[in-house]
């Protein structure tokens, strides 16, 4: 029975990580064609809703399970931070739809690639949890920190370019808000790394 319960937690965390990868891939791949913004935002919403289901499943299991494979707070923190990542991706996609933005730019593409790479690092790290390869996870948390730093650099560059090149104040507001939303999502990926580091310290 304990093994079954342990499998439920790890399996759900892995499913969550896999869905984040799918969402980040979809986001990055579809920036080249934003002709159907409603479909783009709608598909991202489906990924976000699926992750909400995984989050609720973990909460339900925590409420009825006495012995858990990791500290209860760590499990809750990890699923919550991962949920923040998918929320950020979905919120970014919804901005395209709400603002009727049918054109992207190099900076949005750079953010999308950083988030895509970050999602794969999260996936690899989370899949190592159930294998008890905790020290091996550190390779991916370091990479997530590096990617977040790249996000900071992109935000600096795109904000500078925005105020130099864009004269329409409405367009400036829309772009600035989207850039900041994307950068915040890279921060959320680093938050996942921080929780994983905490789990490594507690259990190794």
């Amino acid at each position: 029975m304990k093994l079954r319960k342990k499998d439920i937690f790890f399996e759900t965390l892995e499913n969550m990580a896999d869905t984040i990868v799918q969402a980040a891939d979809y986001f990055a791949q579809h920036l080249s064609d934003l002709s159907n913004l409603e479909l783009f935002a709608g598909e991202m919403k489906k990924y976000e809703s699926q992750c909400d289901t995984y989050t609720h499943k973990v909460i339900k299991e925590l409420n009825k399970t006495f012995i858990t494979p990791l500290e209860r707070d760590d499990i809750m923190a990890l699923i919550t931070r991962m949920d923040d990542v998918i929320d950020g991706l979905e919120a970014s996609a919804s901005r395209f739809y709400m603002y009727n933005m049918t054109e992207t730019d190099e900076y949005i593409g750079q953010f999308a690639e950083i988030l895509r790479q970050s999602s794969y690092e999260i996936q690899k790290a989370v899949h190592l949890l159930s294998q008890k390869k905790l020290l091996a996870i550190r390779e991916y948390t370091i990479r997530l920190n590096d990617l977040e730093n790249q996000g900071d650099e992109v935000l600096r560059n795109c904000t500078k370019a925005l105020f130099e090149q864009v004269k329409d104040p409405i367009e400036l507001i829309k772009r600035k808000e989207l850039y900041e939303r994307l950068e915040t999502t890279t921060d959320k990926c680093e938050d996942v790394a921080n929780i994983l580091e905490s789990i490594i310290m507690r259990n190794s």
Side-chain angles (χ1 to χ4, degrees):
M1 182 63 70
K2 290 180 183 177
L3 181 60
R4 186 182 71 84
K5 291 297 183 183
K6 181 169 70 173
D7 286 343
I8 286 174
F9 289 112
F10 285 135
E11 181 182 4
T12 306
L13 288 166
E14 289 172 2
N15 287 339
M16 180 81 144
D18 294 345
T19 303
I20 290 172
V21 164
Q22 293 166 18
D25 274 342
Y26 182 90
F27 184 87
Q29 291 165 5
H30 286 76
L31 287 178
S32 60
D33 181 10
L34 295 171
S35 58
N36 191 335
L37 292 173
E38 186 173 5
L39 176 63
F40 178 60
E43 288 298 310
M44 291 298 295
K45 183 64 179 177
K46 289 179 184 177
Y47 289 121
E48 189 266 340
S49 297
Q50 181 61 62
C51 286
D52 281 345
T53 300
Y54 293 137
T55 301
H56 295 319
K57 182 175 183 179
V58 164
I59 293 170
K60 180 180 178 182
E61 291 297 326
L62 284 173
N63 285 334
K64 69 179 186 180
T65 304
F66 183 68
I67 298 176
T68 56
L70 300 169
E71 293 284 342
R72 304 170 73 85
D73 288 348
D74 287 339
I75 295 172
M76 192 65 216
L78 182 56
I79 198 78
T80 300
R81 297 298 177 269
M82 290 167 67
D83 193 53
D84 289 341
V85 173
I86 191 70
D87 285 348
L89 283 165
E90 188 277 327
S92 298
S94 72
R95 293 307 184 276
F96 285 95
Y97 176 67
M98 289 189 297
Y99 299 157
N100 195 31
M101 294 175 62
T102 57
E103 294 184 4
T104 185
D105 60 37
E106 62 178 300
Y107 303 110
I108 294 171
Q110 289 171 22
F111 277 124
E113 180 60 20
I114 289 169
L115 289 167
R116 191 187 69 80
Q117 291 182 35
S118 295
S119 71
Y120 276 94
E121 302 304 322
I122 290 170
Q123 181 188 46
K124 287 179 280 193
V126 169
H127 277 262
L128 285 175
L129 273 179
S130 62
Q131 301 173 41
K132 303 290 187 179
K133 296 180 179 178
L134 297 180
L135 294 180
I137 291 173
R138 186 155 282 142
E139 172 187 347
Y140 305 111
T141 62
I142 291 170
R143 177 68 176 146
L144 283 163
N145 288 323
D146 289 341
L147 287 163
E148 191 276 333
N149 289 335
Q150 292 178 32
D152 289 343
E153 182 66 20
V154 174
L155 182 64
R156 284 190 289 269
N157 293 337
C158 67
T159 301
K160 184 176 186 296
L162 184 67
F163 282 92
E164 288 176 349
Q165 300 169 11
V166 177
K167 305 306 179 186
D168 180 353
I170 301 300
E171 183 66 19
L172 188 148
I173 290 169
K174 291 192 294 186
R175 294 273 167 177
K176 183 173 182 292
E177 208 265 333
L178 178 57
Y179 293 154
E180 290 174 347
R181 174 70 61 174
L182 288 164
E183 192 278 330
T184 297
T185 309
T186 69
D187 291 341
K188 301 303 181 183
C189 294
E190 186 180 43
D191 290 343
V192 174
N194 292 337
I195 296 300
L196 288 167
E197 284 286 352
S198 176
I199 291 172
I200 292 169
M201 287 188 291
R202 287 179 195 262
N203 295 279
S204 59

